[in-house]
C-alpha cells in the first residue's frame, strides 16, 4: 500500500499524504497536523480488512495499537500501520498486475 503511493509520487503525481510506522510515536506528528478524519490501515491485509476512518486522534491511536497487536499475533513479517489523509469524493478502483 505504501509502496504504491511512493511509486505514484516518484512519477511526479500527487499521492495521498501518509505516515507509516510500527510504533505510535512514528506517526503521531503526522496525525497531529493532519485534518480529521484520518484513515488508519494495516499493511498486512487485503482489501479493506482492518481499515478504519478515525474521527478523533484518540480513536486513531487506539486503532493503530489494535492493528499492530493483531498483526504481531498473526506473525506478520512486515507488520506496520499506515495513517493517511481522508480523500473525499468518488472512488475508482483499478486492478493491475
Amino acid at each position: 500500500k505504501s509502496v504504491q503511493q511512493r511509486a505514484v509520487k516518484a512519477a511526479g503525481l500527487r499521492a495521498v499524504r501518509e505516515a507509516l510506522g510500527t510504533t505510535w510515536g512514528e506517526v503521531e506528528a503526522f496525525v497531529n497536523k493532519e485534518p480529521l478524519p484520518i484513515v488508519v490501515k494495516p499493511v498486512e491485509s487485503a482489501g479493506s480488512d482492518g481499515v478504519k476512518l478515525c474521527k478523533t486522534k484518540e480513536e486513531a491511536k487506539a486503532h493503530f495499537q489494535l492493528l499492530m497487536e493483531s498483526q504481531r499475533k498473526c506473525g506478520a513479517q512486515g507488520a506496520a500501520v499506515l495513517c493517511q489523509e481522508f480523500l473525499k469524493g468518488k472512488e475508482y478502483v483499478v486492478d493491475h498486475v
Side-chain angles (χ1 to χ4, degrees):
K1 296 174 185 180
S2 186
V3 172
Q4 183 179 20
Q5 291 301 317
R6 287 195 303 265
V8 168
K9 286 178 188 175
L13 302 171
R14 186 204 182 286
V16 66
R17 291 187 306 272
E18 66 179 13
L20 175 69
T22 58
T23 66
W24 177 250
E26 293 174 323
V27 299
E28 188 173 14
F30 173 83
V31 172
N32 286 336
K33 72 176 182 176
E34 194 63 31
L36 296 169
I38 291 179
V39 178
V40 179
K41 60 175 94 172
V43 296
E44 294 287 327
S45 71
S48 61
D49 289 345
V51 177
K52 184 173 185 178
L53 183 62
C54 298
K55 296 180 175 103
T56 67
K57 292 173 187 171
E58 296 76 20
E59 185 180 17
K61 182 177 182 179
H63 193 60
F64 181 98
Q65 292 170 334
L66 174 73
L67 291 174
M68 282 305 302
E69 182 179 317
S70 62
Q71 288 179 94
R72 286 184 178 131
K73 282 182 182 176
C74 293
Q77 298 297 314
V81 175
L82 271 172
C83 296
Q84 296 179 325
E85 72 175 303
F86 173 64
L87 300 175
K88 187 176 180 179
K90 290 183 181 180
E91 180 179 6
Y92 297 92
V93 177
V94 179
D95 290 328
H96 60 86
V97 178

